[in-house]
Amino acid sequence: MTANKVHVLSCGAMSCDLTWLLLKAGRTMRTRTEQQRPPEWYSCTTHCVLVETPGGTLLWDTSCPRDWETRWAPTGLQEYFPYDQVSDEEYLDARLGQLGVQPQDIDYLVLSHLHFDHAGNIGMFTGTGAKLVCHEKEKEFAFGFDGAFNGAHLKADYAACDFDTVSGDTEILPGVTLIEAPGHTPGTMAMKVELPETGTMLFTSDAVYMGDSYGPPATPAAIVNDLTAWYGSVEKIRGIAEQSDATVVFGHDAEQLRSMRLAPSGFYA
Ligand SMILES: [Zn+2]
């Protein structure tokens, strides 16, 4: 069985110093002769994915919230990752509306992980009957630390949520498999979708930020929970992608996102 359709919802971009995403000599790290050269600021695009299947509709991630500046203030990270490249029609609620989708139409809301730029709009789905899903290890970590936040995990985003958890690689709906890909966070997941015409699409979320991170060779980022696990997950994803001849869609790759068929007009079947 395959899924029916994939809609890629482009939700604008945060701005950030590229060094956060890519620790790469010659690109972000400077030589002694370049000490005065300013860091490269990057358009850190964010997207969600709506998957229609014979068994129900799934939304993958929820992007950033409209009130990011105040909500993220306790973490201080709003100064490093301002969500300031977004227009009114690009917020998640607007994107769903353009497709004629209401929050109550979502059967499964799956979070690749619980960082604030992925979990920022979970609140739109409370009380709608959507089944909330994340990885077992992600839930354990996200609820397990003391205080209001830990890095980009912000309890205000998800504290009220009752998650169903998965572990291992799990086919959650026909043609949709959640892939365990820890390293970025303890419970980061990727999502594999099999489609009748397009074939396999593999959405990496933050297991792989961008094409330059994927390589080969894989190039890590400044924010990694477990570097050894991260390298292992990139190679796991590469293996699955090669085996299934998949289109690999990275978590925050501005150039790649621009080249894709985007909702509301474009989709993959
Ligand atoms: Zn993340």
Side-chain angles (χ1 to χ4, degrees):
M1 280 265 262
T2 61
N4 299 333
K5 225 183 224 190
V6 159
H7 306 266
V8 179
L9 281 57
S10 170
C11 294
M14 296 167 280
S15 306
C16 70
D17 181 331
L18 183 61
T19 317
W20 284 104
L21 305 188
L22 196 70
L23 295 175
K24 195 169 190 177
R27 181 79 189 273
T28 53
M29 279 115 92
R30 304 291 186 233
T31 64
R32 57 181 170 175
T33 60
E34 300 173 307
Q35 288 176 42
Q36 303 309 317
R37 198 175 136 212
E40 180 181 341
W41 269 61
Y42 182 70
S43 183
C44 184
T45 48
T46 162
H47 66 268
C48 307
V49 184
L50 186 74
V51 190
E52 297 175 26
T53 84
T57 301
L58 177 152
L59 181 65
W60 170 252
D61 282 342
T62 70
S63 189
C64 311
R66 286 175 182 261
D67 64 348
W68 61 274
E69 195 158 15
T70 49
R71 189 155 357 147
W72 297 354
T75 71
L77 292 172
Q78 81 285 359
E79 298 300 322
Y80 293 94
F81 297 91
Y83 184 37
D84 58 2
Q85 299 180 55
V86 57
S87 60
D88 221 47
E89 66 269 20
E90 291 176 312
Y91 291 107
L92 176 63
D93 53 357
R95 284 292 188 225
L96 290 173
Q98 290 154 22
L99 290 168
V101 173
Q102 304 297 318
Q104 53 270 25
D105 299 329
I106 305 299
D107 301 304
Y108 290 84
L109 177 61
V110 183
L111 284 309
S112 65
H113 62 305
L114 293 171
H115 276 164
F116 59 37
D117 57 323
H118 296 259
N121 290 303
I122 298 181
M124 278 170 55
F125 302 90
T126 48
T128 62
K131 197 185 275 274
L132 267 53
V133 180
C134 73
H135 193 278
E136 181 181 47
K137 291 266 167 45
E138 191 70 9
K139 180 178 175 180
E140 196 178 295
F141 177 82
F143 287 86
F145 59 81
D146 292 329
F149 67 90
N150 184 323
H153 281 89
L154 186 56
K155 280 185 186 156
D157 286 334
Y158 54 75
C161 298
D162 191 12
F163 288 104
D164 283 5
T165 59
V166 293
S167 66
D169 298 344
T170 307
E171 184 166 15
I172 186 164
L173 279 169
V176 183
T177 304
L178 304 178
I179 310 283
E180 206 170 64
H184 173 67
T185 66
T188 298
M189 299 190 292
M191 174 176 72
K192 185 172 94 162
V193 183
E194 286 155 279
L195 289 165
E197 290 163 28
T198 308
T200 305
M201 296 184 86
L202 196 44
F203 295 91
T204 69
S205 183
D206 290 2
V208 190
Y209 279 144
M210 52 203 288
D212 280 337
S213 323
Y214 195 46
T219 301
I223 306 173
V224 180
N225 172 263
D226 179 336
L227 190 56
T228 304
W230 181 83
Y231 276 109
S233 292
V234 176
E235 296 316 319
K236 177 181 178 180
I237 286 168
R238 200 188 311 284
I240 295 169
E242 285 174 1
Q243 196 177 32
S244 57
D245 195 23
T247 302
V248 182
V249 183
F250 307 114
H252 294 292
D253 192 316
E255 196 183 332
Q256 180 186 42
L257 197 65
R258 263 197 300 275
S259 74
M260 295 189 70
R261 293 179 218 157
L262 298 174
S265 55
F267 60 86
Y268 294 87

